[in-house]
Amino acid sequence: MEQQWPEGTNADPDAARERYKADMQASRRAARELFRVEMPVAHLGLAITIIASVFVSVVWSPGTGAIFAGVFAALFVVALAVALLAGGRGWDAARAAYKFAFGWADWITP
């Protein structure tokens, strides 16, 4: 079976493979940069979550505020379980789960 290359019959498969690898590395690097979160941003996300939970508790009911806070707590627990299953250990897994659960604040800050 002969492959069809965009360059025609004189294509170099090794060069194409290297271009593919370079493109994939650039794509993955861009995705990592997009989702990179620092700890102060995650702390801000936690603070916003706590303030919103208190606000919801005061405006609607304490049960609703507890549900709101519980959703974020459950998100953290699930992220921690995934981090542990992925091979993270100790504080590194907890830090990754914390950044995942509360790092969304980076998208609302300038």
Side-chain angles (χ1 to χ4, degrees):
M1 176 187 219
E2 189 172 314
Q3 290 184 331
Q4 298 295 323
W5 298 92
E7 295 89 359
T9 57
N10 297 326
D12 181 13
D14 292 329
R17 189 174 299 108
E18 290 304 318
R19 280 194 312 274
Y20 173 77
K21 286 181 182 178
D23 289 344
M24 288 302 294
Q25 286 175 347
S27 176
R28 289 177 181 145
R29 186 172 29 255
R32 278 193 306 270
E33 187 63 33
L34 177 66
F35 292 111
R36 180 168 288 144
V37 176
E38 300 296 328
M39 287 301 282
V41 173
H43 293 328
L44 178 63
L46 177 63
I48 291 171
T49 302
I50 291 171
I51 291 168
S53 296
V54 170
F55 179 76
V56 167
S57 295
V58 169
V59 172
W60 282 285
S61 70
T64 307
I67 290 171
F68 184 80
V71 167
F72 282 96
L75 177 64
F76 174 76
V77 169
V78 168
L80 181 61
V82 169
L84 289 171
L85 290 173
R89 295 288 175 243
W91 286 110
D92 290 335
R95 190 175 298 113
Y98 182 72
K99 286 179 179 181
F100 179 80
F102 300 107
W104 51 265
D106 194 26
W107 295 347
I108 62 170
T109 57

